[in-house]
Every structure is written in C-alpha cells, then in structure tokens.
Short mmCIF file of all heavy atoms in Angstrom, two decimals:
data_model
loop_
_atom_site.label_atom_id
_atom_site.label_comp_id
_atom_site.label_asym_id
_atom_site.label_seq_id
_atom_site.Cartn_x
_atom_site.Cartn_y
_atom_site.Cartn_z
N LEU A 130 -91.51 39.49 -0.35
CA LEU A 130 -92.37 39.76 -1.51
C LEU A 130 -93.54 40.66 -1.11
O LEU A 130 -93.89 41.59 -1.84
CB LEU A 130 -92.88 38.44 -2.11
CG LEU A 130 -91.85 37.61 -2.88
CD1 LEU A 130 -92.42 36.25 -3.27
CD2 LEU A 130 -91.38 38.37 -4.12
N ILE A 131 -94.13 40.38 0.04
CA ILE A 131 -95.21 41.24 0.53
C ILE A 131 -94.68 42.64 0.80
O ILE A 131 -95.35 43.65 0.52
CB ILE A 131 -95.85 40.63 1.80
CG1 ILE A 131 -96.59 39.34 1.44
CG2 ILE A 131 -96.81 41.63 2.46
CD1 ILE A 131 -97.08 38.55 2.64
N GLY A 132 -93.44 42.72 1.31
CA GLY A 132 -92.81 44.01 1.54
C GLY A 132 -92.63 44.80 0.26
O GLY A 132 -92.75 46.03 0.26
N LEU A 133 -92.36 44.12 -0.86
CA LEU A 133 -92.23 44.81 -2.14
C LEU A 133 -93.58 45.35 -2.61
O LEU A 133 -93.65 46.44 -3.19
CB LEU A 133 -91.64 43.85 -3.19
CG LEU A 133 -90.17 43.47 -2.97
CD1 LEU A 133 -89.74 42.44 -4.00
CD2 LEU A 133 -89.28 44.71 -3.05
N PHE A 134 -94.65 44.61 -2.36
CA PHE A 134 -95.99 45.12 -2.67
C PHE A 134 -96.30 46.34 -1.80
O PHE A 134 -96.91 47.31 -2.27
CB PHE A 134 -97.04 44.03 -2.46
CG PHE A 134 -97.19 43.09 -3.63
CD1 PHE A 134 -96.48 41.91 -3.67
CD2 PHE A 134 -98.02 43.40 -4.68
CE1 PHE A 134 -96.60 41.04 -4.74
CE2 PHE A 134 -98.16 42.55 -5.76
CZ PHE A 134 -97.44 41.36 -5.80
N GLN A 135 -95.87 46.28 -0.54
CA GLN A 135 -96.08 47.43 0.34
C GLN A 135 -95.30 48.65 -0.16
O GLN A 135 -95.75 49.79 -0.03
CB GLN A 135 -95.64 47.10 1.76
CG GLN A 135 -95.83 48.24 2.73
CD GLN A 135 -95.53 47.85 4.15
OE1 GLN A 135 -96.41 47.84 4.99
NE2 GLN A 135 -94.29 47.55 4.45
N LEU A 136 -94.14 48.40 -0.74
CA LEU A 136 -93.33 49.49 -1.28
C LEU A 136 -94.08 50.24 -2.37
O LEU A 136 -93.98 51.47 -2.48
CB LEU A 136 -92.01 48.93 -1.83
CG LEU A 136 -91.07 49.93 -2.49
CD1 LEU A 136 -90.67 51.02 -1.52
CD2 LEU A 136 -89.83 49.20 -3.02
N ILE A 137 -94.82 49.51 -3.19
CA ILE A 137 -95.63 50.16 -4.24
C ILE A 137 -96.59 51.15 -3.61
O ILE A 137 -96.75 52.29 -4.07
CB ILE A 137 -96.40 49.11 -5.06
CG1 ILE A 137 -95.43 48.17 -5.78
CG2 ILE A 137 -97.33 49.80 -6.07
CD1 ILE A 137 -96.10 47.00 -6.47
N ALA A 138 -97.24 50.72 -2.51
CA ALA A 138 -98.18 51.60 -1.82
C ALA A 138 -97.48 52.77 -1.17
O ALA A 138 -98.03 53.88 -1.09
CB ALA A 138 -98.96 50.80 -0.76
N ALA A 139 -96.23 52.56 -0.69
CA ALA A 139 -95.48 53.64 -0.06
C ALA A 139 -95.11 54.72 -1.06
O ALA A 139 -95.03 55.90 -0.72
CB ALA A 139 -94.22 53.08 0.60
N ILE A 140 -94.89 54.33 -2.31
CA ILE A 140 -94.49 55.28 -3.34
C ILE A 140 -95.69 55.97 -3.97
O ILE A 140 -95.69 57.19 -4.17
CB ILE A 140 -93.66 54.58 -4.44
CG1 ILE A 140 -92.35 54.06 -3.84
CG2 ILE A 140 -93.37 55.52 -5.60
CD1 ILE A 140 -91.53 53.22 -4.80
N PHE A 141 -96.73 55.19 -4.26
CA PHE A 141 -97.87 55.74 -4.99
C PHE A 141 -99.11 55.83 -4.09
O PHE A 141 -99.79 54.83 -3.87
CB PHE A 141 -98.19 54.86 -6.21
CG PHE A 141 -97.04 54.75 -7.18
CD1 PHE A 141 -96.31 53.58 -7.28
CD2 PHE A 141 -96.69 55.82 -7.98
CE1 PHE A 141 -95.26 53.47 -8.16
CE2 PHE A 141 -95.64 55.73 -8.88
CZ PHE A 141 -94.92 54.55 -8.96
N PRO A 142 -99.40 57.02 -3.55
CA PRO A 142 -100.61 57.19 -2.72
C PRO A 142 -101.86 56.86 -3.52
O PRO A 142 -101.94 57.14 -4.71
CB PRO A 142 -100.56 58.67 -2.34
CG PRO A 142 -99.67 59.31 -3.35
CD PRO A 142 -98.68 58.29 -3.76
N GLY A 143 -102.80 56.23 -2.85
CA GLY A 143 -104.02 55.79 -3.53
C GLY A 143 -103.99 54.31 -3.79
O GLY A 143 -105.03 53.69 -4.05
N THR A 144 -102.79 53.71 -3.71
CA THR A 144 -102.67 52.27 -3.91
C THR A 144 -103.35 51.52 -2.76
O THR A 144 -104.02 50.51 -2.97
CB THR A 144 -101.19 51.85 -3.98
OG1 THR A 144 -100.57 52.53 -5.08
CG2 THR A 144 -101.04 50.36 -4.16
N SER A 145 -103.19 52.02 -1.55
CA SER A 145 -103.67 51.41 -0.31
C SER A 145 -102.66 50.41 0.19
O SER A 145 -102.41 49.37 -0.46
CB SER A 145 -105.03 50.73 -0.48
OG SER A 145 -105.35 49.95 0.67
N ARG A 146 -102.07 50.70 1.34
CA ARG A 146 -101.09 49.79 1.93
C ARG A 146 -101.71 48.43 2.20
O ARG A 146 -101.15 47.39 1.84
CB ARG A 146 -100.54 50.39 3.23
CG ARG A 146 -99.33 49.66 3.80
CD ARG A 146 -99.13 50.01 5.26
NE ARG A 146 -100.30 49.62 6.04
CZ ARG A 146 -100.52 48.38 6.46
NH1 ARG A 146 -99.67 47.43 6.19
NH2 ARG A 146 -101.60 48.10 7.15
N SER A 147 -102.90 48.43 2.82
CA SER A 147 -103.55 47.15 3.11
C SER A 147 -103.96 46.45 1.82
O SER A 147 -103.84 45.23 1.69
CB SER A 147 -104.76 47.36 4.02
OG SER A 147 -105.74 48.17 3.39
N GLY A 148 -104.42 47.24 0.83
CA GLY A 148 -104.82 46.65 -0.45
C GLY A 148 -103.65 45.99 -1.15
O GLY A 148 -103.76 44.88 -1.66
N ALA A 149 -102.50 46.68 -1.18
CA ALA A 149 -101.33 46.15 -1.88
C ALA A 149 -100.80 44.89 -1.21
O ALA A 149 -100.47 43.91 -1.88
CB ALA A 149 -100.24 47.22 -1.95
N THR A 150 -100.71 44.91 0.12
CA THR A 150 -100.14 43.76 0.82
C THR A 150 -101.09 42.56 0.82
O THR A 150 -100.64 41.42 0.68
CB THR A 150 -99.76 44.13 2.27
OG1 THR A 150 -100.88 44.73 2.92
CG2 THR A 150 -98.59 45.10 2.29
N ILE A 151 -102.39 42.81 0.94
CA ILE A 151 -103.35 41.71 0.88
C ILE A 151 -103.35 41.10 -0.53
O ILE A 151 -103.33 39.89 -0.70
CB ILE A 151 -104.77 42.19 1.27
CG1 ILE A 151 -104.83 42.49 2.77
CG2 ILE A 151 -105.81 41.13 0.91
CD1 ILE A 151 -106.14 43.13 3.21
N LEU A 152 -103.37 41.97 -1.53
CA LEU A 152 -103.35 41.52 -2.92
C LEU A 152 -102.08 40.72 -3.20
O LEU A 152 -102.13 39.64 -3.81
CB LEU A 152 -103.43 42.72 -3.85
CG LEU A 152 -103.95 42.49 -5.27
CD1 LEU A 152 -105.38 42.02 -5.26
CD2 LEU A 152 -103.84 43.78 -6.08
N GLY A 153 -100.94 41.25 -2.75
CA GLY A 153 -99.68 40.55 -2.94
C GLY A 153 -99.66 39.21 -2.23
O GLY A 153 -99.18 38.21 -2.77
N GLY A 154 -100.20 39.19 -1.01
CA GLY A 154 -100.25 37.95 -0.25
C GLY A 154 -101.09 36.89 -0.94
O GLY A 154 -100.69 35.72 -1.04
N ILE A 155 -102.25 37.28 -1.43
CA ILE A 155 -103.12 36.34 -2.14
C ILE A 155 -102.42 35.82 -3.39
O ILE A 155 -102.47 34.62 -3.71
CB ILE A 155 -104.45 37.02 -2.52
CG1 ILE A 155 -105.29 37.30 -1.25
CG2 ILE A 155 -105.25 36.15 -3.48
CD1 ILE A 155 -106.53 38.12 -1.52
N LEU A 156 -101.73 36.71 -4.09
CA LEU A 156 -101.08 36.35 -5.35
C LEU A 156 -99.97 35.31 -5.14
O LEU A 156 -99.76 34.45 -6.00
CB LEU A 156 -100.50 37.61 -6.00
CG LEU A 156 -100.15 37.53 -7.49
CD1 LEU A 156 -101.36 37.11 -8.31
CD2 LEU A 156 -99.63 38.88 -7.97
N ILE A 157 -99.26 35.38 -4.01
CA ILE A 157 -98.18 34.43 -3.77
C ILE A 157 -98.63 33.20 -3.00
O ILE A 157 -97.81 32.36 -2.62
CB ILE A 157 -96.99 35.09 -3.04
CG1 ILE A 157 -97.39 35.55 -1.63
CG2 ILE A 157 -96.43 36.25 -3.85
CD1 ILE A 157 -96.23 36.09 -0.80
N GLY A 158 -99.95 33.08 -2.75
CA GLY A 158 -100.47 31.84 -2.19
C GLY A 158 -100.99 31.89 -0.78
O GLY A 158 -101.33 30.85 -0.21
N LEU A 159 -101.11 33.08 -0.18
CA LEU A 159 -101.68 33.18 1.16
C LEU A 159 -103.20 33.16 1.08
O LEU A 159 -103.78 33.66 0.11
CB LEU A 159 -101.23 34.47 1.86
CG LEU A 159 -99.91 34.47 2.62
CD1 LEU A 159 -98.74 34.25 1.67
CD2 LEU A 159 -99.74 35.79 3.37
N SER A 160 -103.84 32.60 2.08
CA SER A 160 -105.29 32.70 2.17
C SER A 160 -105.67 34.14 2.48
O SER A 160 -104.84 34.92 2.96
CB SER A 160 -105.83 31.78 3.27
OG SER A 160 -105.42 32.24 4.55
N ARG A 161 -106.91 34.51 2.21
CA ARG A 161 -107.34 35.89 2.46
C ARG A 161 -107.17 36.27 3.93
O ARG A 161 -106.71 37.37 4.25
CB ARG A 161 -108.80 36.07 2.05
CG ARG A 161 -109.04 36.03 0.56
CD ARG A 161 -110.46 36.48 0.22
NE ARG A 161 -110.76 36.21 -1.17
CZ ARG A 161 -111.32 35.08 -1.61
NH1 ARG A 161 -111.65 34.15 -0.73
NH2 ARG A 161 -111.56 34.90 -2.88
N THR A 162 -107.58 35.39 4.84
CA THR A 162 -107.50 35.72 6.26
C THR A 162 -106.04 35.87 6.71
O THR A 162 -105.71 36.77 7.49
CB THR A 162 -108.20 34.66 7.13
OG1 THR A 162 -107.68 33.36 6.80
CG2 THR A 162 -109.69 34.67 6.89
N THR A 163 -105.16 35.00 6.21
CA THR A 163 -103.75 35.08 6.58
C THR A 163 -103.12 36.35 6.03
O THR A 163 -102.35 37.04 6.72
CB THR A 163 -102.98 33.85 6.07
OG1 THR A 163 -103.60 32.66 6.57
CG2 THR A 163 -101.53 33.88 6.52
N ALA A 164 -103.45 36.68 4.77
CA ALA A 164 -102.92 37.91 4.16
C ALA A 164 -103.40 39.13 4.92
O ALA A 164 -102.63 40.08 5.15
CB ALA A 164 -103.36 37.99 2.69
N ALA A 165 -104.67 39.14 5.33
CA ALA A 165 -105.21 40.28 6.08
C ALA A 165 -104.56 40.40 7.45
O ALA A 165 -104.17 41.50 7.87
CB ALA A 165 -106.72 40.13 6.22
N GLU A 166 -104.39 39.29 8.15
CA GLU A 166 -103.78 39.35 9.49
C GLU A 166 -102.33 39.81 9.40
O GLU A 166 -101.88 40.63 10.21
CB GLU A 166 -103.86 37.97 10.14
CG GLU A 166 -105.27 37.61 10.62
CD GLU A 166 -105.34 36.23 11.25
OE1 GLU A 166 -104.35 35.46 11.09
OE2 GLU A 166 -106.35 35.93 11.89
N PHE A 167 -101.58 39.29 8.43
CA PHE A 167 -100.19 39.72 8.30
C PHE A 167 -100.12 41.21 7.97
O PHE A 167 -99.23 41.92 8.44
CB PHE A 167 -99.49 38.90 7.21
CG PHE A 167 -97.99 39.08 7.19
CD1 PHE A 167 -97.20 38.52 8.19
CD2 PHE A 167 -97.37 39.82 6.20
CE1 PHE A 167 -95.82 38.69 8.19
CE2 PHE A 167 -95.99 40.00 6.19
CZ PHE A 167 -95.22 39.43 7.19
N THR A 168 -101.08 41.68 7.19
CA THR A 168 -101.16 43.11 6.88
C THR A 168 -101.39 43.93 8.14
O THR A 168 -100.78 44.99 8.33
CB THR A 168 -102.30 43.37 5.87
OG1 THR A 168 -101.94 42.82 4.61
CG2 THR A 168 -102.57 44.86 5.70
N PHE A 169 -102.27 43.46 9.03
CA PHE A 169 -102.52 44.16 10.28
C PHE A 169 -101.24 44.24 11.11
O PHE A 169 -100.90 45.30 11.64
CB PHE A 169 -103.60 43.45 11.10
CG PHE A 169 -104.95 43.40 10.45
CD1 PHE A 169 -105.86 42.42 10.80
CD2 PHE A 169 -105.32 44.31 9.47
CE1 PHE A 169 -107.12 42.37 10.22
CE2 PHE A 169 -106.57 44.27 8.88
CZ PHE A 169 -107.47 43.28 9.25
N PHE A 170 -100.54 43.11 11.23
CA PHE A 170 -99.32 43.07 12.04
C PHE A 170 -98.23 43.94 11.42
O PHE A 170 -97.48 44.62 12.12
CB PHE A 170 -98.82 41.64 12.19
CG PHE A 170 -99.82 40.70 12.83
CD1 PHE A 170 -99.67 39.32 12.73
CD2 PHE A 170 -100.92 41.18 13.53
CE1 PHE A 170 -100.59 38.47 13.33
CE2 PHE A 170 -101.84 40.34 14.13
CZ PHE A 170 -101.67 38.97 14.02
N LEU A 171 -98.15 43.91 10.10
CA LEU A 171 -97.16 44.71 9.38
C LEU A 171 -97.41 46.20 9.58
O LEU A 171 -96.48 47.01 9.56
CB LEU A 171 -97.23 44.36 7.89
CG LEU A 171 -96.21 44.94 6.93
CD1 LEU A 171 -94.80 44.63 7.37
CD2 LEU A 171 -96.47 44.42 5.52
N ALA A 172 -98.66 46.58 9.79
CA ALA A 172 -99.01 47.99 9.96
C ALA A 172 -98.41 48.59 11.23
O ALA A 172 -98.13 49.79 11.28
CB ALA A 172 -100.53 48.16 10.01
#
C-alpha cells in the first residue's frame, strides 16, 4: 500500500516521494516516526 502511494509520487512530480509515503503510512495506521523511517529505508 505504501508502494502504491510512492507510485503516485513517481508519476506526478511535485507530490514528494517522502510526502506520499509518509502520508500513506499514517493513513493505513503507521505512527509518524515509523512511517518516516520506512520512507528513509525505501529511498
């Protein structure tokens, strides 16, 4: 699911890869710190 949010950022510049994945992570129930760390590792 986080990968699908990242896909949005990959298609539409300006979305922000970190913004999309953090936002997606929070939306599906991740804490902010966990969503941010997973975003870093995913990068």
